[in-house]
Each structure stands twice: as C-alpha cells, then as structure tokens.
Amino acid sequence: MKPFPLVALLCALMSACQDAEEPCGEGCRVPHRGLGRVFDEGTLTHAVSPRTGWGGLKVRLAGDTVFVLETKRDESSGVQRRLVARTRDSEVRWTRVEEAGEHFSDFTVHPSGEVTLGVERTAAERGGYDLLRLSPGGEVLSRQPVPEPRTLSAEDVGTGLPAQPFRMKGRPVHALTDGWLRTEARGEDVVVAFLTLVDEPPPSPNRPPSDLVSGVMALRWSESRYEEEWARLVDGRHQVDPAAWAYDEFRWREAPGRPLLAIGGDGAVVVGRTWTQSRCLAASDIFGVPTRLDCILDEDIATHMDTEHQAFAFTSFTATGEREGTHMFHPSDAAEFVVFDLAARGGDVAIAGSFVREDAQGAIDYYESSPGAGDRMTPYDGYVAVFERRTGSLRFSHVLGGPRADHISALRWTDSGLLAVGASGWDRWANGMSISRGSGPLLAMFSAGGDLSRMRTVPLDGSQRHFHLLGVDARDDEIVAVGLADAPMTHSGDRGQRANMTFGGLTVELR
C-alpha cells in the first residue's frame, strides 16, 4: 500500500512546513501569498454538465473573459470541438464551432484580447495547418496557412530531409487528440510548434507516409497577417507509433506524439516532447548531440511505441531563434514516467506528469484496491520538476502521492508559484492496462522555490467513471480549471456500447 495520506506526505517532503503561518494539516503550516491565499482560502465551487456534453480541454483567462477549448463525443462516436468565450459568471459571449473537415488544435490569447486559434484542415494533403486571428468579440480578423518557412537553414535540415520538410499534415484525430499544432502568444505576435508528416511522396501507392518531423516558428502580426520572423527544425525524421492503449480519457497515448510549447519571460521559446530513440537518433544525425551510441545504449530512452516509460526532452531557442540546446530527463528511480505539460518562466522550465517509483532492487510497491483484496494496483503519483533552461540542470522535483493513483495533466506558472491539475484516486491493474476505479479531480500548488506544496480536493468520487481536469489558468483573485465529467473507463465501450463512451463537462473555480 502507499504508506502515507497525501497531506502528510507533502508536509514530510517540504522543509518549510515547520516555519509557515497557517495550518495545512497535522504538523504542517503554510504561508499565504497572493494567489496562494485564493488557493488555500478561496471558495471552491464546481459545475458538472451531463453526458453527452462538452468537456473542457484548455482554459485561458484574459480581462473579464474565460476562454475554453471544448470537445464532444456523441453516441455514434462523432466528434466536434468549439472555442467558447464566457464572462466570469458563465454567460456565453461568443462561440466558434468546428466546421466539417476542421480540427481545433490549440489556441492562445494576446494582451489585446484577440485570439489565435490553430486549426488543422484534416482533408488537406499538405499545407493544412491554419491560423485564425479572432477579435475579442469572436470575429475573424485573418485566416491563413502557417507560412512555408523561408529562414530554415540547410544545416538545420541536414541531408535526410527535403529542403522544405514540413508537410503540415497530421494523422487522424479523435475527440481528445492533443493537437500537433501548438500556439503561444508572444505579445501580439505568436509562436507555433508543430509535428507533421514529412513532405515527400509516400513510399508506395498502397503504403501511406509515416515518417514525422517537428519544427517551431516565430510569427509577427503585421497588418492583419502573420509574417515569419524565424523558423527552426526541432526534431529531424523520426517515427512515433504508440501502442493502442488509451488509458481511458487521460490522453496517455497522446503524450508520445504531440509537441509541448512554452514562452519564457525573456521571449525564449521552449519545445518539449517525449524523447524516443528515433528522435534521439535524428538529433544525433543533424546536430551531433547526443551521439548515436548514447541514443542506442541509454535504457531510459523509449522506443517509438512506448506509452508508459518515456524520457522527456526540451529544446530551447533564444527570442531571435538561436538554438540553446536539447536536454533529456528521466527520474533515476522511475519504473514508469510520462510528461503531460510544460511551462516556462524566466530562465526555468517546469514539467508535470505521472511517475511510478521503483526501489534500488527494481521492485515496485504495489497496493491493494481494498484491504484483503489480494490484487496489485500500480502506484502512480503526480510529478512536477523544474529545470534551469540553458543547462538542463534539475532545480527541484516533487511527487504527489495519495493512497491510490494520481497524475497531473496541466500546469501554469503564476506569480505565486506552479498551479497543477489532474486526476486522483484511480486504480490500474499491475498486470495489464485496465483501470478498474475511476478518478476524481486533483488541484495542487507549488511555491516557485520548491519549498512547499498545497492541494485542494473536489467532492467528486469517480468510482465507476472518471471526473478529472485537463486545463487550468489563474489571475490574481481566481483559479479556473476544466475537464471531463462522467467520462468512460477502459472497458466502458466494450461490446459496442458507444453511448458509454460519451462524457460531460467539469468546471472547478476557486475565488
């Protein structure tokens, strides 16, 4: 069994507990500062919409508006997404819904209140990644394809790729696909990171293309149009083909593929992704670091099919596009490790995900689903780590471990520290991939210095279905998180029970 209640474990981990001002549990006191006071003392409310409904994937707060990217799966397995702008009191200001052949991949909000929405035109054979610029009122100001890069150097591409390697085409999508086109505002400008098929003919008429390549591009907003500032290759030719285990609605299978993107306070750009052997070898071939031998011999580097054991890497670029380097990370005592989100602030980079610890002999401390059950459940814990951006050195890491399984899906850096949300209280059988108990929502907060952490619970016990959070954002007096309610588990849709694969929406607020 996991030996400690969550609060006691957190307090034991944090040396600052003994000197703090307000109680956080027996023997632990935590100071309140800024948003931390809202997290600790604010009124927590939650709203659930029944299935079949719209579930939240991402939320951003700007001015008095709450922007949410939502998704829906109907009883015939049809999927659709929409971007909604609401007031703080949940009054809808405007809504933009996917049209046929569109996939809303990601969005970002600019200081002006304007929005950049990343869209894939799924039927396009190439050039299908579009950027929509929307006014604060939701009107379309501009729509254009992501430009074909002009500043990509031959040295960046190497010899194994076409001169213009980016096809701007993804693979088939589903309701929870974490988009391959990522957007982050840099003032009124935007940075995009993308994973795409290589732009070349298929290997044979009956064999579709499978090789991938990833890039990043900084775009300037000028006279109602985006213009390229610089473009860089992130990873050369590689493959990602994870096994078809979905981990219910947690998006475990999405993690090996999709890029993660963050912007530092100095305008630096950070692109993160699972570090597979295929990606490692591609970096070695083009940039010479690491060596091919390192890629082959390092047992922590996953194959292109792994979903559970994934080293993580981030590559940073200066504000003007100079490559600062790539840094790989995998906890030394991890039997399983997956990263779901990335954040940057100043010269630091933070990651969040899930972690299974093994001891020095390689053993895992499995727990029983109930006392005397005699079964073995996998002890997943939420995981947060912070690194120095330029060197990749680890500043600190935290493990969030309750009596059952936990993971963190989304991370935001605030003036009061790191805000994280995800899922808690689920069980996964040790001898397979089946989840046998549903999750409840998890919210946690970490100080910027890594010396304390806090958590708030939501009175939702999944048991037979999932309730969990996938996105979070905050301002000085408010925290908003979104996710899925009454969501399916591993075998909910067995024997063609498509109606059981639907879900509703979940919104959690702290004010």
Side-chain angles (χ1 to χ4, degrees), residues 109-187:
V109 184
H110 301 275
S112 62
E114 295 178 0
V115 175
T116 297
L117 175 63
V119 181
E120 181 181 357
R121 289 180 284 111
T122 56
E125 288 302 314
R126 69 178 310 276
Y129 290 174
D130 285 358
L131 298 174
L132 271 71
R133 182 84 172 206
L134 306 176
S135 73
E139 297 85 9
V140 177
L141 302 176
S142 172
R143 179 166 188 160
Q144 69 181 97
V146 174
E148 191 167 276
R150 298 175 290 101
T151 61
L152 195 65
S153 69
E155 291 78 13
D156 231 10
V157 173
T159 60
L161 288 168
Q164 293 290 349
F166 307 128
R167 190 171 183 175
M168 301 303 185
K169 168 71 174 177
R171 290 178 179 161
V173 296
H174 58 76
L176 296 170
T177 297
D178 208 354
W180 285 9
L181 171 62
R182 315 296 295 176
T183 62
E184 283 291 339
R186 196 162 63 165

Side-chain angles (χ1 to χ4, degrees), residues 210-430:
S210 60
D211 287 356
L212 303 172
V213 62
S214 57
V216 62
M217 187 180 298
L219 300 169
R220 182 185 303 108
W221 179 242
S222 176
E223 298 181 357
S224 301
R225 187 167 182 81
Y226 283 116
E227 297 178 352
E228 178 187 348
E229 291 187 37
W230 51 263
R232 299 290 181 266
L233 192 81
V234 176
D235 290 312
R237 182 188 298 273
H238 65 277
Q239 292 188 343
V240 176
D241 191 20
W245 313 120
Y247 271 87
D248 307 310
E249 305 307 311
F250 294 161
R251 302 201 286 182
W252 230 268
R253 191 177 184 273
E254 307 304 309
R258 58 51 186 142
L260 298 174
L261 175 64
I263 308 297
D266 57 357
V269 175
V270 182
V271 182
R273 67 280 192 205
T274 292
W275 195 233
T276 65
Q277 188 179 89
S278 181
R279 284 174 171 162
C280 183
L281 290 170
S284 179
D285 289 344
I286 296 176
F287 304 108
V289 178
T291 68
R292 291 185 63 84
L293 196 60
D294 289 336
C295 298
I296 295 169
L297 296 182
D298 191 335
E299 295 181 355
D300 290 332
I301 300 177
T303 73
H304 65 282
M305 297 181 66
D306 273 321
T307 55
E308 297 176 334
H309 192 105
Q310 303 174 19
F312 186 77
F314 67 87
T315 301
S316 61
F317 303 84
T318 68
T320 54
E322 287 77 26
R323 192 181 187 98
E324 291 184 323
T326 297
H327 304 286
M328 188 272 279
F329 175 73
H330 184 279
S332 59
D333 55 348
E336 297 187 26
F337 180 64
V338 182
V339 172
F340 292 108
D341 205 6
L342 172 79
R345 191 176 181 94
D348 288 344
V349 174
I351 61 172
S354 193
F355 164 83
V356 177
R357 175 179 279 118
E358 63 182 14
D359 64 21
Q361 287 71 46
I364 296 172
D365 186 17
Y366 295 105
Y367 65 95
E368 294 181 311
S369 59
S370 61
D375 51 14
R376 299 195 313 163
M377 298 295 159
T378 305
Y380 284 100
D381 292 323
Y383 190 88
V384 170
V386 174
F387 307 88
E388 204 282 326
R389 187 186 80 219
R390 293 181 179 85
T391 65
S393 60
L394 179 66
R395 291 196 184 278
F396 63 85
S397 64
H398 282 313
V399 175
L400 277 169
R404 297 184 185 270
D406 311 275
H407 77 270
I408 296 174
S409 295
L411 190 69
R412 288 292 277 171
W413 218 313
T414 75
D415 289 340
S416 299
L418 286 163
L419 185 62
V421 299
S424 182
W426 46 282
D427 289 336
R428 198 213 86 182
W429 187 45

Side-chain angles (χ1 to χ4, degrees), residues 55-72:
L57 296 175
K58 179 177 180 177
V59 59
R60 289 293 179 261
L61 310 182
D64 61 349
T65 304
V66 180
F67 297 90
V68 185
L69 180 63
E70 296 180 331
T71 185
K72 184 177 184 178

